[in-house]
Amino acid sequence: MYDVIIVGGGAAGFYAAIKIAEQAPHLNVAIFERGKTVLSKVKVSGGGRCNVTHGEFSPHELASNYPRGQKELLGPFHNHAPGDIMSFFEERGVPLKIEEDGRVFPVSNSSQSIIDCFIGETERLGVKVLKNSSVKQFKKNESTEGWQVTTMNKHYQTKKLLLATGSNPKIWEQLRAIEHTIVPPVPSLFTFNIDDERIHGIQGISTNASVEIPSKKIFSSKTNLKLKSAPKSEPILQSEGPVLITHWGLSGPAILKLSAWGARILHDYRYSFRVNINWVPEYSTSSMEGYLKEIKEVEAKKTILRTNAVEIPRRLWINLVKAAGIEKDLKWADITKVKLYNLAEQLTVCSFKVEGKSTFKEEFVTAGGVDLKEINFKTFESKKHPNLYFAGEIINVDAITGGFNFQNAWTGAYLAAQAIASK
């Protein structure tokens, strides 16, 4: 018999176990992990450095990074936010640093520092960690108001059950069986697969750009060309930030932000859509055209290909000049109005056809999970079943990249632990 069983040996599970054991040392706490190792997602996060959280200390600003969960997490972030998790690690001998982009990492630049801290704390506090313990079923014990948890070959009884299993379809199915609503999961945080001459051979280039995804209705399904008769419409998604050209297409913070906010829309599009890049966000097509006319007057004798007229990487400039139909020896003095407009358009409305997606590194994130309306966000307890709690990605919360998904895990685990320990 356990007082608390936590299903899932990841970030949320370990943090909750430690917080429960600290606040209520008399409770018998166990973590059930289905795999051979614990904290596997922590290990690969941030390229193996572990992006612990983000250095955003305003709850309102912090919550704005969550496409799903923004409203619900605002209150919890007032109770437990990045400053709290940073203090937790630093008080236990794991110094952290905030990098220029706001991401927080251990000074060691190794996720093993975080893993060692968690394992050391659970051992010190007497939390049992049961590996190779895949939960096959959990059901209410009506006589005790607790839960029965069944693994491959054993039944366990517990007073409180905390599910921190991440995106686990089998656990979601069991929750459906006890009348919880599960929002169907779709991928979030992914890069765009694009096969286009304009970005061939220049992988590794990163530059600040504005990115938009227009409504599919303004494109012909047969030709993928803009329909002249179609009315102009606002983009369905847009962001600005660094765009990274890769072997397979486009990535970088601006693209990843779009993939998070547009997770459901892009899933409905079956990951086949157009994306427009403005490589010089301070310009529109018309203002860029005017600027290029000025360049034509000033640099008349120079060849266009060798005159990088805007602040973008040189190899990208060369590819866009070629895409505008401009010959390599053409001088500014000799450029036609049509070609000059084409170049302005390539720079400001560079349209690419996206066909498919790629997972962003090993950090697979899904949009979907337990419906937020069925969770008490003061305690992260189920509104349908007493003594059942959730933490982490099992619920329908996800965020853009940068440590925000971990912060959701820490905050939910902390509030669930407080509620469990206080009872």
Side-chain angles (χ1 to χ4, degrees), residues 190-245:
F190 50 84
T191 61
F192 296 171
N193 293 354
I194 297 168
D195 184 10
D196 193 291
E197 284 292 328
R198 291 168 293 180
I199 56 173
H200 282 179
I202 60 171
Q203 58 273 5
I205 281 178
S206 179
T207 187
N208 191 72
S210 174
V211 187
E212 294 183 350
I213 296 178
S215 168
K216 288 190 79 169
K217 291 177 183 177
I218 66 169
F219 291 94
S220 162
S221 59
K222 292 182 180 179
T223 63
N224 290 324
L225 297 174
K226 275 189 182 178
L227 300 176
K228 290 182 181 178
S229 59
K232 285 188 177 181
S233 63
E234 289 295 311
I236 55 168
L237 296 163
Q238 58 189 137
S239 72
E240 186 175 330
V243 172
L244 173 67
I245 296 170

Side-chain angles (χ1 to χ4, degrees), residues 3-158:
D3 295 303
V4 186
I5 286 178
I6 297 167
V7 184
F14 266 78
Y15 194 55
I18 291 164
K19 286 296 178 182
I20 293 167
E22 281 181 339
Q23 294 174 64
H26 61 283
L27 294 181
N28 191 5
V29 182
I31 297 172
F32 285 28
E33 166 55 43
R34 63 177 174 171
K36 294 178 183 177
T37 58
V38 294
L39 300 162
S40 56
K41 203 163 184 177
V42 169
K43 190 168 185 64
V44 300
S45 159
R49 296 198 295 145
C50 190
N51 184 185
V52 175
T53 184
H54 197 92
E56 175 53 74
F57 301 107
S58 159
H60 283 273
E61 291 300 319
L62 183 62
S64 71
N65 293 283
Y66 295 79
R68 284 146 291 274
Q70 180 174 1
K71 180 183 68 166
E72 290 82 2
L73 288 176
L74 183 56
F77 284 155
H78 276 91
N79 285 314
H80 202 72
D84 300 297
I85 191 69
M86 291 176 73
S87 296
F88 171 86
F89 285 114
E90 291 183 337
E91 287 165 5
R92 288 161 181 78
V94 184
L96 304 176
K97 58 180 176 177
I98 303 176
E99 298 197 340
E100 253 185 62
D101 60 3
R103 292 184 300 165
V104 178
F105 292 94
V107 170
S108 67
N109 282 324
S110 171
S111 57
Q112 197 60 45
S113 301
I114 304 299
I115 293 169
D116 291 345
C117 175
F118 275 147
I119 291 174
E121 284 296 282
T122 51
E123 289 175 353
R124 178 180 72 82
L125 293 163
V127 173
K128 293 183 179 63
V129 180
L130 286 70
K131 300 173 188 174
N132 297 308
S133 296
S134 180
V135 170
K136 302 300 176 187
Q137 187 186 40
F138 50 87
K139 63 181 182 180
K140 289 169 89 170
N141 186 328
E142 301 296 346
S143 61
T144 64
E145 294 189 346
W147 294 83
Q148 177 176 288
V149 177
T150 304
T151 61
M152 186 71 78
N153 50 21
K154 197 169 180 182
H155 298 299
Y156 298 86
Q157 303 298 324
T158 183

Side-chain angles (χ1 to χ4, degrees), residues 294-357:
E294 291 178 17
I295 297 293
K296 178 179 177 177
E297 296 298 323
V298 176
E299 307 285 6
K301 294 181 180 180
K302 292 185 178 178
T303 58
I304 297 164
L305 201 67
R306 293 178 184 174
T307 311
N308 200 344
V310 293
E311 290 185 14
I312 62 172
R314 177 160 177 74
R315 289 188 294 160
L316 176 60
W317 167 262
I318 290 169
N319 281 11
L320 296 179
V321 168
K322 289 177 180 175
I326 295 169
E327 300 81 3
K328 64 178 181 179
D329 296 323
L330 187 68
K331 293 180 179 177
W332 282 102
D334 302 320
I335 190 172
T336 64
K337 283 183 180 180
V338 171
K339 288 183 178 177
L340 190 135
Y341 179 81
N342 287 347
L343 179 55
E345 200 167 45
Q346 288 294 335
L347 289 165
T348 58
V349 199
C350 193
S351 186
F352 294 98
K353 186 76 173 78
V354 178
E355 289 291 357
K357 60 175 176 55

